[in-house]
Every structure is written in C-alpha cells, then in structure tokens.
Amino acid sequence: MTKRLFAISGVSGGSVGAAVAAAAMARTKSGEQPCVERQPSLWYGDTIGNWRDCLEALTADDFLTPVSIGLVFRDIVRFG
Amino acid sequence: MADAFRHTYIPRSWKEIVGYARALWAVVLGYIPRSWSDVVDFALILWVIRVPVCALAVGFALLCLVPQAQDLLVELIEYSWHVVFFLALVFFIWASTTHYTARLLLDTDERFRARVAERSSDFIENWEIFLSRLLGALTFVAVLLSAERSIENLPVIDDPYIVPYVSRMLRWFQLVTLATLGIFIWYMLSRNALSALQPVRNLESKTGFVRRFLRRIGIEPRLNSNNLGPLMLFVVFMLCAGILLLSPVWIARWFPRSLAVPLLLGAWVPFLSLLSDMGRHYRAPVIAGAAVAVAILSFLFGDNHSVRRVNAAQILGRQPDSAEMSLNRAVDLWMSANSCKEDPAKCPRPIIIAAAGGASRAGFFTASIIGLRKRTPALILPR
C-alpha cells in the first residue's frame, strides 16, 4: 500500500492524522507497525496487533486536557 | 408570622393551614423586590460577588452548551472512584469556593455593610444570605443539566445494549450528584453548628495563622469567626499557584478530562475574588489593572510558550530541500517506486487520501482508515 500511496491531503484534525500516519510509516523499514506500547490507556482495544491498531492508539490520546489547563493557567500568567 | 413558619409543626385545622400559608407568603415576600431601592440592592449584591457569579456563568455555559464537555461524563461513569473524585472536586474546588467567596465578599465589603445598615430591610439581608447559598448549589445543578444533555447526545447505534446501559449509568450519576447536592445544602445550613463541634474547634485552634494572614491583608471575615472557610480558600489558591508552576501535561495526568473541569472553573475564584475585594476597597479596577500588568510584563520579559524549533540541517547533516516539488517530479518518483516508469500502462492505481477537518476525531479516523488500508491491502481496488 505504501508504494501505491501517491498523496495525502488534509485540513485541521485530518492533517494531524495524516502526519501521524506518515511519520509512523517513515519510522519503519520492515513494514511492521512501529508501536511498542502494549496497553494504551485510552484506546478501546486491548493489545496492538497491526497497523490500524497502532495508528488508532497513537491518535487516541488525551490532547484536550493539557491544552485546556495551559490555556486557563499558564497562558494567562505567561511572562518569565 | 415568619417566625412561626420557621418552627416545624403539623397544622391540625384549616385555620392553622391558613396561618401557615400566610407565614410562608411573608417569607416569600421578603425575597421579592418592592421598590427601585430593592432592585439596586440586588444589583449591588451581584456586583460585590461578581467573580463567583461569572465563574458560575462560565461553568453553566461550558457544561450546558458545549457537547464535548457534556460527553466527558460518559467516560467518567465507567469507574465509580472517578465519579466520587469528580464530585469531591466539584464540592470542594468549585461549589464550596463559589459559596464561601460570595459569603466572604459580602461580609467584608465595607460599603456594602454600610448600605445594609442604612437600608435595614429584610430584602437585602435575605438575599445576601440566600444568594451565596444559591450560587454554591447551582454548581451541582450545572453538573445535573450536563448529564441530562449527555444522555440526549448519546448516538443511535446498532448495539442494543451499550446505549441503554450508558443512559442508565448517567441516571445513576445524576442521583449521586443530587445526593451530593443534598449534603452540600446541609453543610451550608449547618456551617455554624459544625464549627461548634469539638474536633472542628481543635482544628480551628491550629489554623489561627489563616486569620492572622487575612487580617494582615485586610480581609478578615467580619461575621463568622471560623478559620476553616478561609483555610479552604487558601488551599485552593495554593493549588492554583501550584498549577501555574507545574507543567500542564503533568496536571493533565493527575486530573484527566472531566476531572480537570472543577479545577478550570474553581481554582481562580479565590484569587480573583481577593482582587475584586481590593477593587471595592480602593475604588479601583484592580482585576482589569492586573490583566494590563500581566500584558505589560509579558511584553517586557517575554512569554514562556515553549515552541520547539528543530534544526533540520543539523539532524540531516545537510541543508534540507525545502523547494516545492512539481507534480511531474512527484509522478516520476511514484512511478519509479512502483517500477513502472518505463511502461506507465502497467502502473497500479494510485492511492490519494483526502482527510477533512474535525479536531482530534478527524485525526483518529484518518489514521484509522490509513491503518485499515495498510492492514488489509485487499481492500484497495485492483489496478
């Protein structure tokens, strides 16, 4: 599939997913999925067995809480 | 009459029922504005406690109008200890601080106290007690409404079990929240009685430094003589300061998703209330002044936004090729990779993926579909 892939185009969140997939594919030479985390806490599956599991686990993290806390606390008092 | 209403008794005749209703009406009348001065009094109370009022308004807007915030509760109900921790945070970080800062602001505002003494009306005295309790209780009402909206947001899916299960668990969550609201109301009504208990008095005697600190900064509580309420605000203030110093990523690990909501809504309330109290005392816009001071300090000393810059040349060991690739060059490279440059008719069908926006959900589904294609090449159309 990687050889036949000509282009990925994305906007906003879609481009994040595309960038994660591209980075993961660039990480491996053998064609095996590169994820080493066996029990991702926020992904619905139990173990990562294939590429789909790997890419889902990578994009199923909590991206909102640190940003919200940073916005309400550190970004308000941001000098220093 | 109003005094008679305050004593619980069972009416045994129509005459007693009428007397009971009149007493109830007399109490209700004490909360209804009957003159322009009453309206001004009410507006003054709201102005004095504007920080907890605004924090509550933001909480209602977040929990009742933002679907993503409502959906956080679906994950929360998976673990009972998460529910307990969440409601404890709502109780101590948001509801208690909202109630107690409102109480403290009204107790310590000299101009408001002078107005109360001058007016000597039931209306202003009733509302100054009731409104701070109402604000505290409304924090739980916001959580209840959010759970209701969360149930409405549940999708229609083929699985006949999961949606009814989640809906049922959210109803249980609402019941537990209602019970916590009951405990909170009991706490608000029994605060004076609780502070008379011996263990609480022992604790009070060990926290006299709080009163000394408040006296030093000029906001010693005027009416209630206990130290525990101010101590609670001080702890929340220190928590807020701690969050400022620590990395948001660390805090997010300790208070993930829904558990962060009470922190976001309640942690600033004590400090901003202190600024609003100083503003009333010095007749100056202290909160706006603090915002301007932060902006000026950021301009002078820079901000602490950690934008990482990668030195691509150092990593690659050469200057990176940042020139835009032409379409013909891209097609050439693709054909070379598929070993069909000499005979383009033998090339397989190219795959072009177009991903729409939609925040992290779009990222997840884009990655999932790419992963599915890699896992199951047969899904790709033959050439």
Side-chain angles (χ1 to χ4, degrees), chain B residues 305-318:
Chain B
H305 289 170
S306 53
V307 177
R308 289 176 298 166
R309 293 179 180 174
V310 174
N311 188 338
Q314 192 178 21
I315 293 171
L316 290 172
R318 59 177 169 79

Side-chain angles (χ1 to χ4, degrees), chain B residues 4-5 19 28 42 56 85 102 131 136 146 166 178 184 186 219-220 241 254 277 296 302 305-306 309 332 364:
Chain B
F5 173 70
V28 172
F42 189 74
L56 184 67
F85 194 29
L131 202 55
S146 182
V166 173
L178 264 178
F184 185 71
W186 172 80
I219 56 166
E220 184 184 13
W254 298 333
D277 186 73
I296 291 172
H305 289 170
S306 53
R309 293 179 180 174
D332 278 350
F364 177 84

Side-chain angles (χ1 to χ4, degrees), chain B residues 41-112:
Chain B
D41 287 343
F42 189 74
L44 178 62
I45 294 174
L46 287 180
W47 177 245
V48 172
I49 60 173
R50 58 193 178 280
V51 169
V53 167
C54 288
L56 184 67
V58 170
F60 260 90
L62 180 73
L63 292 172
C64 298
L65 299 177
V66 182
Q68 288 84 351
Q70 296 151 11
D71 294 345
L72 290 176
L73 296 177
V74 174
E75 185 213 10
L76 178 77
I77 56 168
E78 279 186 57
Y79 305 101
S80 52
W81 75 268
H82 273 190
V83 172
V84 172
F85 194 29
F86 174 79
L87 290 175
L89 287 171
V90 171
F91 194 112
F92 291 107
I93 305 290
W94 190 22
S96 295
T97 52
T98 298
H99 163 245
Y100 196 70
T101 50
R103 182 77 250 143
L104 202 59
L105 285 167
L106 292 168
D107 281 357
T108 55
D109 190 295
E110 303 99 336
R111 285 189 281 156
F112 178 73

Side-chain angles (χ1 to χ4, degrees), chain B residues 187-208:
Chain B
Y187 153 75
M188 286 191 296
L189 297 176
S190 317
R191 234 164 27 96
N192 288 337
L194 285 173
S195 62
L197 296 174
Q198 193 57 43
V200 179
R201 287 168 67 180
N202 291 343
L203 196 57
E204 288 261 348
S205 62
K206 292 173 182 169
T207 54

Side-chain angles (χ1 to χ4, degrees), chain A residues 78-80, chain B residues 292-303:
Chain A
R78 60 186 180 275
F79 53 84
Chain B
V292 171
V294 166
I296 291 172
L297 287 170
S298 300
F299 178 75
L300 292 176
F301 300 109
D303 58 45

Side-chain angles (χ1 to χ4, degrees), chain A residues 19-71:
Chain A
V20 168
M25 285 190 278
R27 180 86 179 261
T28 176
K29 299 293 180 192
S30 63
E32 288 296 311
Q33 54 88 8
C35 294
V36 291
E37 178 74 60
R38 289 293 121 184
Q39 289 183 315
S41 59
L42 293 178
W43 180 54
Y44 61 86
D46 293 326
T47 54
I48 296 171
N50 54 52
W51 267 99
R52 188 185 193 186
D53 297 347
C54 172
L55 294 180
E56 285 187 352
L58 285 172
T59 48
D61 208 341
D62 177 12
F63 303 110
L64 186 61
T65 313
V67 175
S68 304
I69 291 174
L71 177 71

Side-chain angles (χ1 to χ4, degrees), chain B residues 226-263:
Chain B
N226 68 75
N227 299 323
L228 294 181
L231 178 65
M232 180 192 68
L233 295 186
F234 187 72
V235 168
V236 173
F237 170 73
M238 293 307 291
L239 181 70
C240 182
I243 293 172
L244 280 172
L245 295 175
L246 295 174
S247 163
V249 178
W250 290 359
I251 303 293
R253 283 181 195 150
W254 298 333
F255 302 97
R257 297 171 297 286
S258 52
L259 297 180
V261 173
L263 282 185

